[in-house]
Amino acid sequence: MADGAIDRVAYAGSGLVRVMTPAQAAAATTAAAPTDGQNQQVIQGLAGYVRKCWHAARDAKMQSVEKRMLSAVRRRRGEYDPEKLSQIRQFGGSEIYMMLTSNKCRAASSWLRDTYGGTGSARPWTIEPTAIPELPPDLMEEAMQEAAATAQQYIMTTGQVPTVAGMREALMRLRDRMMADIHAEARDAADRMALKMEDQLSEGGFQRAFSEFIDDLVTFPTAIIKGPVVRRKRRLEWVQEAAGWVPKVGERLVMEWERVDPFRFYPSPFATNVDDGYMIEHIPLTRRALTEMIGVDGYNEKAIREVLELHGRGGFHNW
């Protein structure tokens, strides 16, 4: 028997014993393991933890925050709170609501859009290279080779070995020249990255999401913008064929930004910022939204297809 060891696995009810080497036993264990990387016990435990956090966050928000948010919405729309309206009607007062809050909110959102909503040369953000870029290893090696060649040429020309001070001065001049070249290259790279980022923000709907974010910011106690969210989208692409370049509909992963509804956002109780505890967003998912997650890193394609199949049979409403 290989390795001088055996592993006996009893066949239930058959009275037989199967003999395997350690290698065969390991292979059988691997083959029996789930192929989709899902551990049901872990998944169920995680789902239970998320549901527990959700109930805690929801209850904490409903106690005071949600009432304040509803009051903010009414003031923005020009409506009295039910209690206030009841008091007005009791003494026969006027129910006309002066739209001062709405006017102030519109003015504030306009100012913020003018300040932060620029594009191109007027965009409100920039990318700056680091003050002292690090020399890449290949440039360091090139500098050392150039310094050695300079020293060799000095020896051949003068017949003397250069002093340590002279070599240090030559190396410093060489380093300064290379640093200037690297600074220029880093600046060009930063400019190219800024253009790429602006293109990604434009294609991902950042301006629309940011505009909605500003409306929330001047209305509610808080506002949330989320991104980048990676989704699979259908896009028109040019494909080269025998007859030349032809347009075809293809799919690719794109980054998108979106405004989060404050009424569907639940931070952990007593949280003061996004890094202080967990954050939960209640997301109603359509068939299209689920389909766009297929093939995206971090999502289980098998589970998504099962949910789509269940929904197609008769609806699936367990969020």
Side-chain angles (χ1 to χ4, degrees), residues 43-64:
I43 295 298
Q44 293 298 327
L46 179 60
Y49 172 74
V50 171
R51 189 172 294 275
K52 177 183 176 181
C53 293
W54 145 251
H55 285 297
R58 182 194 60 181
D59 294 344
K61 185 175 182 178
M62 290 178 63
Q63 288 178 3
S64 60

Side-chain angles (χ1 to χ4, degrees), residues 1-2 11 31 45 47 50 123 165 169 180 188 190 215-216 221 247 257 279 296:
M1 185 61 63
Y11 290 153
V50 171
R123 56 178 174 247
E169 183 180 354
D188 292 340
D215 279 335
D216 287 343
W257 283 260
M279 301 286 166
V296 179

Side-chain angles (χ1 to χ4, degrees), residues 124-258:
W125 52 270
T126 58
I127 300 179
E128 296 290 340
T130 181
I132 306 179
E134 295 185 3
L135 288 174
D138 57 338
L139 289 184
M140 287 292 296
E141 185 178 353
E142 180 182 341
M144 295 303 296
Q145 292 176 356
E146 186 172 343
T150 302
Q152 185 68 26
Q153 184 178 3
Y154 180 84
I155 294 173
M156 293 178 61
T157 303
T158 63
Q160 299 177 357
V161 177
T163 62
V164 175
M167 285 297 298
R168 183 181 294 111
E169 183 180 354
L171 286 173
M172 291 300 295
R173 287 198 302 268
L174 182 60
R175 180 183 181 278
D176 291 341
R177 178 168 58 82
M178 286 193 166
M179 286 296 293
D181 293 340
I182 289 177
H183 270 290
E185 184 177 347
R187 169 63 63 181
D188 292 340
D191 292 340
R192 291 193 298 270
M193 180 57 68
L195 288 175
K196 181 178 180 181
M197 290 175 59
E198 186 172 0
D199 180 68
Q200 290 175 337
L201 293 174
S202 177
E203 290 190 354
F206 178 80
Q207 291 297 331
R208 173 187 53 77
F210 190 69
S211 178
E212 296 172 352
F213 165 85
I214 289 177
D215 279 335
D216 287 343
L217 186 63
V218 299
T219 303
F220 299 105
T222 188
I224 309 101
I225 188 170
K226 180 175 67 174
V229 180
V230 181
R231 294 189 175 96
R232 183 176 295 276
K233 293 287 188 179
R234 302 182 69 185
R235 293 293 179 91
L236 183 64
E237 300 176 349
W238 289 92
V239 180
Q240 188 174 18
E241 295 183 352
W245 291 91
V246 295
K248 286 190 175 182
V249 177
E251 292 184 344
R252 63 170 176 160
L253 300 180
V254 298
M255 294 188 295
E256 295 183 337
W257 283 260
E258 58 190 29

Side-chain angles (χ1 to χ4, degrees), residues 72-80 95-108:
V73 171
R74 294 190 186 100
R75 289 199 300 270
R76 182 73 188 266
R77 293 177 177 175
E79 301 173 359
Y80 287 108
E95 298 183 15
I96 297 176
Y97 193 101
M98 301 300 292
M99 301 292 288
L100 298 179
T101 301
S102 179
N103 292 335
K104 291 180 179 179
C105 288
R106 285 199 302 269

